[in-house]
Amino acid sequence: MAYSNKVLDHYNNPRNVGSMDKSDPNVGTGMVGAPECGDVMKLQVKVNPETGVIEDAKFKTFGCGSAIASSSLATEWLRGKTVDEALEIKNTDIVNELSLPPVKIHCSVLAEDAIKAAINDYKTKSATKVEALASK
Amino acid sequence: MSANRTCWQCAQSIGASLFCPHCKSLQPPPSGYYTLFGLDRKLNLNTNELQQRFYDLSRQLHPDRFMRKSEAERQYSLDASSILNDAYRALKDPVKRAQYVLSQEGFEIGEQRSKDVPPELLEEVFELNMALEEMRSGDDSARPQLESAQNNFTNTLNEVDRQLEAQFRTYDESSNREVLTRIRGTLNRRKYIQNLLDEVQDQLAVGAQ
């Protein structure tokens, strides 16, 4: 199957590969996987607690070219968005941008799941932080 | 399932039989792989017995035997032979057999969302992948590490298979859906470990050239 040029570009030059400190209260981590294809995807966001804007996003994906491209693209899109804007990213946006064929749509779903998981992790963390402050 | 089937030819009750006990005509193949083999739906199967039944049924249902029979029977023998082959392929392999039973019980197999996968498993697989990547980026000196990873993955896979067998027994005794959920989890883990093992072996094969 032929990959689109955009997929190849992200695959050959993945953006924002890496990881951030999981224990940092401003970092949200999402780890998702698709057992059928053996993919695992870790996506992290670093949020400015004052503004709610995502200042940095990193990912590391073990999987096919489309899974890598989907998560690479996701980190590009996440930077500069607020956490609420980030939750509006849909897998179909990724499908369209990368021209993913039907058999690879699940890769974009995985990326959307990873975004949601990372944001939810951040939100859970900051909620407990607020509670901790309030109980002081 | 097929308790109320009647013969298409003589309208007598036939139960789950492939041939009418009264007029001996071949019947439309029953749906369900276990029913076709005349087996109870157990996850632990005696594969020797399964193979014997497969040979017997293949002979009984073979299209050559129906050349001079009615159009209907000729068609049933073609249908049944084709289903029999699919059924044997699915049932002889423990993993495919479990996937079949899971799908019959309404579990989704192909398109699982990540929420069905426990976070500890993802964590484990991610770490194993990281370790593997580190080895790969090295040169030939990574070979001993890869070989030990190969051993570890093989051992883990054997362990997973033993676990699967035990879970099969538990399900066969209890028919508890909860056990099927656990079995699906074990199948997921197995798939991940198998992929990692394949990768290590590819890597070792490249290095050996």
mmCIF file of all heavy atoms in Angstrom, chain A residues 22 31-42 60-62 106 109-110 112-114, chain B residues 99 109-115 117 119 121-123 125-126 129-130 133 188 191-192 195:
data_model
loop_
_atom_site.group_PDB
_atom_site.id
_atom_site.type_symbol
_atom_site.label_atom_id
_atom_site.label_comp_id
_atom_site.label_asym_id
_atom_site.label_seq_id
_atom_site.Cartn_x
_atom_site.Cartn_y
_atom_site.Cartn_z
ATOM 1 N N LYS A 22 6.956 12.600 33.631
ATOM 2 C CA LYS A 22 5.580 12.194 33.929
ATOM 3 C C LYS A 22 5.068 12.772 35.251
ATOM 4 O O LYS A 22 3.873 12.995 35.419
ATOM 5 C CB LYS A 22 5.545 10.659 34.056
ATOM 6 C CG LYS A 22 4.764 9.962 32.980
ATOM 7 C CD LYS A 22 4.809 8.469 33.212
ATOM 8 C CE LYS A 22 3.500 7.984 33.817
ATOM 9 N NZ LYS A 22 3.394 6.505 33.759
ATOM 10 N N MET A 31 -1.316 7.142 27.318
ATOM 11 C CA MET A 31 -0.706 5.932 26.743
ATOM 12 C C MET A 31 -1.846 5.079 26.203
ATOM 13 O O MET A 31 -2.750 4.698 26.947
ATOM 14 C CB MET A 31 0.047 5.198 27.841
ATOM 15 C CG MET A 31 0.669 3.910 27.411
ATOM 16 S SD MET A 31 2.327 4.110 26.750
ATOM 17 C CE MET A 31 3.290 3.930 28.245
ATOM 18 N N VAL A 32 -1.812 4.807 24.914
ATOM 19 C CA VAL A 32 -2.891 4.019 24.304
ATOM 20 C C VAL A 32 -2.284 2.946 23.395
ATOM 21 O O VAL A 32 -1.108 3.008 23.051
ATOM 22 C CB VAL A 32 -3.870 4.901 23.483
ATOM 23 C CG1 VAL A 32 -4.579 5.903 24.372
ATOM 24 C CG2 VAL A 32 -3.147 5.608 22.359
ATOM 25 N N GLY A 33 -3.113 1.986 23.017
ATOM 26 C CA GLY A 33 -2.583 0.925 22.179
ATOM 27 C C GLY A 33 -3.659 0.213 21.399
ATOM 28 O O GLY A 33 -4.832 0.258 21.750
ATOM 29 N N ALA A 34 -3.244 -0.434 20.319
ATOM 30 C CA ALA A 34 -4.150 -1.245 19.509
ATOM 31 C C ALA A 34 -3.561 -2.646 19.430
ATOM 32 O O ALA A 34 -2.623 -2.872 18.683
ATOM 33 C CB ALA A 34 -4.294 -0.660 18.113
ATOM 34 N N PRO A 35 -4.089 -3.558 20.239
ATOM 35 C CA PRO A 35 -3.492 -4.886 20.305
ATOM 36 C C PRO A 35 -3.482 -5.613 18.966
ATOM 37 O O PRO A 35 -2.548 -6.367 18.680
ATOM 38 C CB PRO A 35 -4.358 -5.640 21.313
ATOM 39 C CG PRO A 35 -5.469 -4.756 21.693
ATOM 40 C CD PRO A 35 -5.214 -3.398 21.150
ATOM 41 N N GLU A 36 -4.475 -5.365 18.108
ATOM 42 C CA GLU A 36 -4.539 -6.072 16.830
ATOM 43 C C GLU A 36 -3.285 -5.864 15.998
ATOM 44 O O GLU A 36 -2.797 -6.776 15.369
ATOM 45 C CB GLU A 36 -5.776 -5.632 16.034
ATOM 46 C CG GLU A 36 -6.998 -6.460 16.303
ATOM 47 C CD GLU A 36 -6.747 -7.965 16.279
ATOM 48 O OE1 GLU A 36 -6.374 -8.472 15.203
ATOM 49 O OE2 GLU A 36 -6.898 -8.631 17.311
ATOM 50 N N CYS A 37 -2.775 -4.608 15.985
ATOM 51 C CA CYS A 37 -1.585 -4.372 15.180
ATOM 52 C C CYS A 37 -0.331 -4.270 16.037
ATOM 53 O O CYS A 37 0.748 -4.067 15.504
ATOM 54 C CB CYS A 37 -1.747 -3.157 14.285
ATOM 55 S SG CYS A 37 -3.029 -2.035 14.751
ATOM 56 N N GLY A 38 -0.486 -4.390 17.362
ATOM 57 C CA GLY A 38 0.691 -4.332 18.215
ATOM 58 C C GLY A 38 1.229 -2.923 18.419
ATOM 59 O O GLY A 38 2.374 -2.743 18.798
ATOM 60 N N ASP A 39 0.397 -1.915 18.141
ATOM 61 C CA ASP A 39 0.843 -0.526 18.290
ATOM 62 C C ASP A 39 0.748 -0.060 19.745
ATOM 63 O O ASP A 39 -0.198 -0.413 20.447
ATOM 64 C CB ASP A 39 -0.057 0.410 17.463
ATOM 65 C CG ASP A 39 0.123 0.220 15.968
ATOM 66 O OD1 ASP A 39 0.981 -0.586 15.585
ATOM 67 O OD2 ASP A 39 -0.590 0.878 15.199
ATOM 68 N N VAL A 40 1.728 0.747 20.146
ATOM 69 C CA VAL A 40 1.606 1.499 21.393
ATOM 70 C C VAL A 40 2.000 2.943 21.129
ATOM 71 O O VAL A 40 2.945 3.190 20.384
ATOM 72 C CB VAL A 40 2.500 0.994 22.545
ATOM 73 C CG1 VAL A 40 1.696 0.270 23.598
ATOM 74 C CG2 VAL A 40 3.649 0.173 22.055
ATOM 75 N N MET A 41 1.287 3.849 21.727
ATOM 76 C CA MET A 41 1.489 5.274 21.471
ATOM 77 C C MET A 41 1.492 6.013 22.803
ATOM 78 O O MET A 41 0.569 5.848 23.598
ATOM 79 C CB MET A 41 0.318 5.756 20.611
ATOM 80 C CG MET A 41 0.406 7.165 20.093
ATOM 81 S SD MET A 41 -1.106 7.550 19.114
ATOM 82 C CE MET A 41 -0.775 6.737 17.551
ATOM 83 N N LYS A 42 2.548 6.783 23.030
ATOM 84 C CA LYS A 42 2.578 7.627 24.235
ATOM 85 C C LYS A 42 2.614 9.080 23.783
ATOM 86 O O LYS A 42 3.449 9.446 22.956
ATOM 87 C CB LYS A 42 3.805 7.312 25.087
ATOM 88 C CG LYS A 42 3.826 8.102 26.393
ATOM 89 C CD LYS A 42 4.836 7.550 27.373
ATOM 90 C CE LYS A 42 6.106 8.363 27.307
ATOM 91 N NZ LYS A 42 7.041 8.034 28.409
ATOM 92 N N LYS A 60 5.914 9.311 21.456
ATOM 93 C CA LYS A 60 6.760 8.189 21.055
ATOM 94 C C LYS A 60 5.806 7.064 20.684
ATOM 95 O O LYS A 60 4.974 6.668 21.488
ATOM 96 C CB LYS A 60 7.666 7.769 22.221
ATOM 97 C CG LYS A 60 8.556 6.600 21.912
ATOM 98 C CD LYS A 60 9.685 6.995 20.979
ATOM 99 C CE LYS A 60 10.358 5.756 20.395
ATOM 100 N NZ LYS A 60 11.223 6.059 19.268
ATOM 101 N N THR A 61 5.892 6.632 19.438
ATOM 102 C CA THR A 61 4.963 5.599 18.963
ATOM 103 C C THR A 61 5.721 4.410 18.398
ATOM 104 O O THR A 61 6.666 4.586 17.630
ATOM 105 C CB THR A 61 4.049 6.178 17.857
ATOM 106 O OG1 THR A 61 3.222 7.179 18.433
ATOM 107 C CG2 THR A 61 3.163 5.103 17.247
ATOM 108 N N PHE A 62 5.329 3.222 18.818
ATOM 109 C CA PHE A 62 5.820 2.010 18.188
ATOM 110 C C PHE A 62 4.679 1.454 17.355
ATOM 111 O O PHE A 62 3.647 1.067 17.898
ATOM 112 C CB PHE A 62 6.269 0.991 19.236
ATOM 113 C CG PHE A 62 7.415 1.483 20.068
ATOM 114 C CD1 PHE A 62 7.200 1.998 21.338
ATOM 115 C CD2 PHE A 62 8.697 1.469 19.560
ATOM 116 C CE1 PHE A 62 8.259 2.467 22.101
ATOM 117 C CE2 PHE A 62 9.772 1.932 20.318
ATOM 118 C CZ PHE A 62 9.553 2.439 21.593
ATOM 119 N N HIS A 106 -7.990 3.503 11.874
ATOM 120 C CA HIS A 106 -7.825 3.208 13.302
ATOM 121 C C HIS A 106 -6.579 3.870 13.895
ATOM 122 O O HIS A 106 -6.529 4.127 15.084
ATOM 123 C CB HIS A 106 -7.825 1.701 13.552
ATOM 124 C CG HIS A 106 -6.658 0.986 12.940
ATOM 125 N ND1 HIS A 106 -6.686 0.514 11.654
ATOM 126 C CD2 HIS A 106 -5.444 0.683 13.422
ATOM 127 C CE1 HIS A 106 -5.514 -0.054 11.380
ATOM 128 N NE2 HIS A 106 -4.752 0.041 12.438
ATOM 129 N N VAL A 109 -7.686 7.165 15.011
ATOM 130 C CA VAL A 109 -8.505 7.006 16.215
ATOM 131 C C VAL A 109 -7.597 6.864 17.435
ATOM 132 O O VAL A 109 -7.848 7.447 18.496
ATOM 133 C CB VAL A 109 -9.425 5.766 16.095
ATOM 134 C CG1 VAL A 109 -10.169 5.517 17.389
ATOM 135 C CG2 VAL A 109 -10.410 5.939 14.949
ATOM 136 N N LEU A 110 -6.525 6.118 17.242
ATOM 137 C CA LEU A 110 -5.563 5.924 18.316
ATOM 138 C C LEU A 110 -4.968 7.271 18.742
ATOM 139 O O LEU A 110 -4.830 7.554 19.938
ATOM 140 C CB LEU A 110 -4.458 4.989 17.809
ATOM 141 C CG LEU A 110 -3.727 4.123 18.821
ATOM 142 C CD1 LEU A 110 -4.694 3.267 19.608
ATOM 143 C CD2 LEU A 110 -2.704 3.241 18.114
ATOM 144 N N GLU A 112 -6.332 10.244 18.376
ATOM 145 C CA GLU A 112 -7.358 11.027 19.081
ATOM 146 C C GLU A 112 -7.499 10.530 20.523
ATOM 147 O O GLU A 112 -7.574 11.319 21.465
ATOM 148 C CB GLU A 112 -8.716 10.922 18.359
ATOM 149 C CG GLU A 112 -9.760 11.839 18.970
ATOM 150 C CD GLU A 112 -11.190 11.592 18.455
ATOM 151 O OE1 GLU A 112 -11.369 11.395 17.245
ATOM 152 O OE2 GLU A 112 -12.111 11.587 19.290
ATOM 153 N N ASP A 113 -7.516 9.225 20.694
ATOM 154 C CA ASP A 113 -7.587 8.651 22.040
ATOM 155 C C ASP A 113 -6.405 9.104 22.898
ATOM 156 O O ASP A 113 -6.554 9.375 24.088
ATOM 157 C CB ASP A 113 -7.587 7.112 21.978
ATOM 158 C CG ASP A 113 -8.947 6.552 21.552
ATOM 159 O OD1 ASP A 113 -9.898 7.348 21.443
ATOM 160 O OD2 ASP A 113 -9.038 5.338 21.322
ATOM 161 N N ALA A 114 -5.220 9.154 22.265
ATOM 162 C CA ALA A 114 -4.014 9.540 23.000
ATOM 163 C C ALA A 114 -4.114 10.992 23.459
ATOM 164 O O ALA A 114 -3.740 11.329 24.594
ATOM 165 C CB ALA A 114 -2.780 9.331 22.130
ATOM 166 N N GLN B 99 -10.662 -16.781 19.834
ATOM 167 C CA GLN B 99 -11.211 -15.607 19.131
ATOM 168 C C GLN B 99 -12.594 -15.920 18.569
ATOM 169 O O GLN B 99 -13.500 -15.091 18.617
ATOM 170 C CB GLN B 99 -10.271 -15.179 17.999
ATOM 171 C CG GLN B 99 -9.045 -14.457 18.515
ATOM 172 C CD GLN B 99 -8.010 -14.223 17.441
ATOM 173 O OE1 GLN B 99 -7.971 -14.933 16.437
ATOM 174 N NE2 GLN B 99 -7.150 -13.241 17.659
ATOM 175 N N ILE B 109 -13.475 -8.229 18.358
ATOM 176 C CA ILE B 109 -12.100 -8.702 18.312
ATOM 177 C C ILE B 109 -11.229 -7.753 17.500
ATOM 178 O O ILE B 109 -10.196 -7.294 17.938
ATOM 179 C CB ILE B 109 -12.029 -10.126 17.706
ATOM 180 C CG1 ILE B 109 -12.775 -11.101 18.600
ATOM 181 C CG2 ILE B 109 -10.590 -10.575 17.537
ATOM 182 C CD1 ILE B 109 -12.168 -11.262 19.960
ATOM 183 N N GLY B 110 -11.682 -7.417 16.292
ATOM 184 C CA GLY B 110 -10.844 -6.640 15.389
ATOM 185 C C GLY B 110 -10.599 -5.215 15.852
ATOM 186 O O GLY B 110 -9.471 -4.765 15.926
ATOM 187 N N GLU B 111 -11.660 -4.513 16.173
ATOM 188 C CA GLU B 111 -11.550 -3.073 16.387
ATOM 189 C C GLU B 111 -11.663 -2.717 17.859
ATOM 190 O O GLU B 111 -12.621 -2.111 18.297
ATOM 191 C CB GLU B 111 -12.660 -2.357 15.620
ATOM 192 C CG GLU B 111 -12.501 -2.418 14.119
ATOM 193 C CD GLU B 111 -11.420 -1.490 13.612
ATOM 194 O OE1 GLU B 111 -11.426 -0.311 13.990
ATOM 195 O OE2 GLU B 111 -10.562 -1.947 12.840
ATOM 196 N N GLN B 112 -10.663 -3.121 18.625
ATOM 197 C CA GLN B 112 -10.724 -2.766 20.033
ATOM 198 C C GLN B 112 -10.171 -1.377 20.273
ATOM 199 O O GLN B 112 -9.145 -1.016 19.727
ATOM 200 C CB GLN B 112 -9.910 -3.753 20.853
ATOM 201 C CG GLN B 112 -10.583 -5.083 20.979
ATOM 202 C CD GLN B 112 -9.656 -6.066 21.638
ATOM 203 O OE1 GLN B 112 -9.275 -5.890 22.776
ATOM 204 N NE2 GLN B 112 -9.282 -7.069 20.892
ATOM 205 N N ARG B 113 -10.855 -0.629 21.108
ATOM 206 C CA ARG B 113 -10.336 0.679 21.483
ATOM 207 C C ARG B 113 -9.372 0.488 22.643
ATOM 208 O O ARG B 113 -9.397 -0.512 23.348
ATOM 209 C CB ARG B 113 -11.490 1.591 21.905
ATOM 210 C CG ARG B 113 -12.493 1.844 20.809
ATOM 211 C CD ARG B 113 -11.864 2.666 19.690
ATOM 212 N NE ARG B 113 -11.608 4.012 20.158
ATOM 213 C CZ ARG B 113 -12.407 5.031 19.905
ATOM 214 N NH1 ARG B 113 -13.487 4.869 19.166
ATOM 215 N NH2 ARG B 113 -12.124 6.235 20.370
ATOM 216 N N SER B 114 -8.522 1.507 22.818
ATOM 217 C CA SER B 114 -7.483 1.344 23.820
ATOM 218 C C SER B 114 -8.047 1.212 25.229
ATOM 219 O O SER B 114 -7.385 0.710 26.112
ATOM 220 C CB SER B 114 -6.506 2.501 23.741
ATOM 221 O OG SER B 114 -7.196 3.692 23.563
ATOM 222 N N LYS B 115 -9.291 1.654 25.418
ATOM 223 C CA LYS B 115 -9.830 1.548 26.777
ATOM 224 C C LYS B 115 -10.029 0.093 27.197
ATOM 225 O O LYS B 115 -10.174 -0.214 28.369
ATOM 226 C CB LYS B 115 -11.142 2.333 26.920
ATOM 227 C CG LYS B 115 -12.244 1.910 25.983
ATOM 228 C CD LYS B 115 -13.476 2.805 26.229
ATOM 229 C CE LYS B 115 -14.663 2.354 25.406
ATOM 230 N NZ LYS B 115 -14.413 2.396 23.948
ATOM 231 N N VAL B 117 -7.725 -2.078 26.802
ATOM 232 C CA VAL B 117 -6.400 -2.610 27.098
ATOM 233 C C VAL B 117 -5.933 -2.033 28.440
ATOM 234 O O VAL B 117 -5.896 -0.822 28.595
ATOM 235 C CB VAL B 117 -5.399 -2.224 25.988
ATOM 236 C CG1 VAL B 117 -4.078 -2.926 26.205
ATOM 237 C CG2 VAL B 117 -5.958 -2.573 24.620
ATOM 238 N N PRO B 119 -3.843 -0.405 31.336
ATOM 239 C CA PRO B 119 -2.687 0.490 31.270
ATOM 240 C C PRO B 119 -1.375 -0.209 31.626
ATOM 241 O O PRO B 119 -0.337 0.105 31.035
ATOM 242 C CB PRO B 119 -2.988 1.584 32.302
ATOM 243 C CG PRO B 119 -4.372 1.374 32.777
ATOM 244 C CD PRO B 119 -4.901 0.100 32.226
ATOM 245 N N LEU B 121 -0.457 -3.162 30.899
ATOM 246 C CA LEU B 121 0.013 -3.886 29.719
ATOM 247 C C LEU B 121 0.674 -2.918 28.743
ATOM 248 O O LEU B 121 1.752 -3.192 28.205
ATOM 249 C CB LEU B 121 -1.151 -4.628 29.051
ATOM 250 C CG LEU B 121 -0.823 -5.317 27.729
ATOM 251 C CD1 LEU B 121 0.289 -6.349 27.898
ATOM 252 C CD2 LEU B 121 -2.058 -5.991 27.146
ATOM 253 N N LEU B 122 0.035 -1.749 28.521
ATOM 254 C CA LEU B 122 0.599 -0.758 27.600
ATOM 255 C C LEU B 122 1.958 -0.291 28.110
ATOM 256 O O LEU B 122 2.907 -0.158 27.345
ATOM 257 C CB LEU B 122 -0.359 0.425 27.461
ATOM 258 C CG LEU B 122 -1.652 0.116 26.713
ATOM 259 C CD1 LEU B 122 -2.600 1.298 26.804
ATOM 260 C CD2 LEU B 122 -1.363 -0.223 25.262
ATOM 261 N N GLU B 123 2.027 -0.039 29.411
ATOM 262 C CA GLU B 123 3.264 0.383 30.066
ATOM 263 C C GLU B 123 4.352 -0.670 29.799
ATOM 264 O O GLU B 123 5.449 -0.339 29.358
ATOM 265 C CB GLU B 123 2.960 0.441 31.560
ATOM 266 C CG GLU B 123 3.421 1.591 32.429
ATOM 267 C CD GLU B 123 3.522 2.963 31.819
ATOM 268 O OE1 GLU B 123 2.550 3.748 31.786
ATOM 269 O OE2 GLU B 123 4.651 3.274 31.425
ATOM 270 N N VAL B 125 4.488 -3.066 27.479
ATOM 271 C CA VAL B 125 4.840 -3.194 26.068
ATOM 272 C C VAL B 125 5.687 -2.008 25.617
ATOM 273 O O VAL B 125 6.653 -2.157 24.861
ATOM 274 C CB VAL B 125 3.571 -3.331 25.201
ATOM 275 C CG1 VAL B 125 3.912 -3.287 23.730
ATOM 276 C CG2 VAL B 125 2.845 -4.629 25.529
ATOM 277 N N PHE B 126 5.331 -0.824 26.118
ATOM 278 C CA PHE B 126 6.087 0.374 25.754
ATOM 279 C C PHE B 126 7.541 0.242 26.215
ATOM 280 O O PHE B 126 8.467 0.477 25.447
ATOM 281 C CB PHE B 126 5.430 1.606 26.382
ATOM 282 C CG PHE B 126 5.978 2.901 25.887
ATOM 283 C CD1 PHE B 126 5.476 3.479 24.731
ATOM 284 C CD2 PHE B 126 7.003 3.547 26.558
ATOM 285 C CE1 PHE B 126 5.987 4.673 24.255
ATOM 286 C CE2 PHE B 126 7.525 4.744 26.087
ATOM 287 C CZ PHE B 126 7.007 5.309 24.940
ATOM 288 N N ASN B 129 9.441 -2.221 24.136
ATOM 289 C CA ASN B 129 9.763 -1.636 22.832
ATOM 290 C C ASN B 129 10.940 -0.674 22.927
ATOM 291 O O ASN B 129 11.794 -0.637 22.045
ATOM 292 C CB ASN B 129 8.550 -0.896 22.275
ATOM 293 C CG ASN B 129 7.682 -1.781 21.401
ATOM 294 O OD1 ASN B 129 8.147 -2.350 20.422
ATOM 295 N ND2 ASN B 129 6.429 -1.923 21.765
ATOM 296 N N MET B 130 10.943 0.120 24.003
ATOM 297 C CA MET B 130 12.043 1.067 24.208
ATOM 298 C C MET B 130 13.367 0.313 24.314
ATOM 299 O O MET B 130 14.367 0.687 23.689
ATOM 300 C CB MET B 130 11.823 1.870 25.512
ATOM 301 C CG MET B 130 10.773 2.955 25.427
ATOM 302 S SD MET B 130 11.141 4.243 24.222
ATOM 303 C CE MET B 130 12.124 5.360 25.200
ATOM 304 N N GLU B 133 14.434 -1.008 21.002
ATOM 305 C CA GLU B 133 14.928 0.032 20.113
ATOM 306 C C GLU B 133 16.368 0.400 20.441
ATOM 307 O O GLU B 133 17.185 0.611 19.556
ATOM 308 C CB GLU B 133 14.035 1.269 20.209
ATOM 309 C CG GLU B 133 14.322 2.279 19.124
ATOM 310 C CD GLU B 133 13.366 3.451 19.187
ATOM 311 O OE1 GLU B 133 13.477 4.262 20.126
ATOM 312 O OE2 GLU B 133 12.504 3.546 18.311
ATOM 313 N N ASN B 188 -4.700 -10.316 23.982
ATOM 314 C CA ASN B 188 -4.061 -9.044 23.636
ATOM 315 C C ASN B 188 -2.595 -9.051 24.015
ATOM 316 O O ASN B 188 -1.727 -8.642 23.242
ATOM 317 C CB ASN B 188 -4.743 -7.876 24.358
ATOM 318 C CG ASN B 188 -6.074 -7.532 23.734
ATOM 319 O OD1 ASN B 188 -6.356 -7.926 22.602
ATOM 320 N ND2 ASN B 188 -6.906 -6.820 24.462
ATOM 321 N N LYS B 191 -0.589 -11.208 21.734
ATOM 322 C CA LYS B 191 -0.361 -10.578 20.441
ATOM 323 C C LYS B 191 0.810 -9.588 20.508
ATOM 324 O O LYS B 191 1.675 -9.560 19.623
ATOM 325 C CB LYS B 191 -1.649 -9.861 20.020
ATOM 326 C CG LYS B 191 -1.566 -9.107 18.719
ATOM 327 C CD LYS B 191 -1.745 -10.025 17.539
ATOM 328 C CE LYS B 191 -1.490 -9.229 16.266
ATOM 329 N NZ LYS B 191 -1.332 -10.056 15.109
ATOM 330 N N TYR B 192 0.820 -8.786 21.550
ATOM 331 C CA TYR B 192 1.912 -7.822 21.721
ATOM 332 C C TYR B 192 3.260 -8.535 21.860
ATOM 333 O O TYR B 192 4.243 -8.161 21.238
ATOM 334 C CB TYR B 192 1.680 -6.961 22.965
ATOM 335 C CG TYR B 192 0.847 -5.722 22.737
ATOM 336 C CD1 TYR B 192 -0.275 -5.462 23.504
ATOM 337 C CD2 TYR B 192 1.212 -4.787 21.783
ATOM 338 C CE1 TYR B 192 -1.038 -4.314 23.322
ATOM 339 C CE2 TYR B 192 0.466 -3.641 21.588
ATOM 340 C CZ TYR B 192 -0.656 -3.408 22.358
ATOM 341 O OH TYR B 192 -1.385 -2.275 22.176
ATOM 342 N N ASN B 195 4.419 -9.995 18.592
ATOM 343 C CA ASN B 195 4.973 -8.961 17.708
ATOM 344 C C ASN B 195 6.401 -8.606 18.091
ATOM 345 O O ASN B 195 7.264 -8.443 17.232
ATOM 346 C CB ASN B 195 4.124 -7.682 17.769
ATOM 347 C CG ASN B 195 2.898 -7.777 16.894
ATOM 348 O OD1 ASN B 195 2.751 -8.720 16.132
ATOM 349 N ND2 ASN B 195 2.007 -6.818 17.006
#
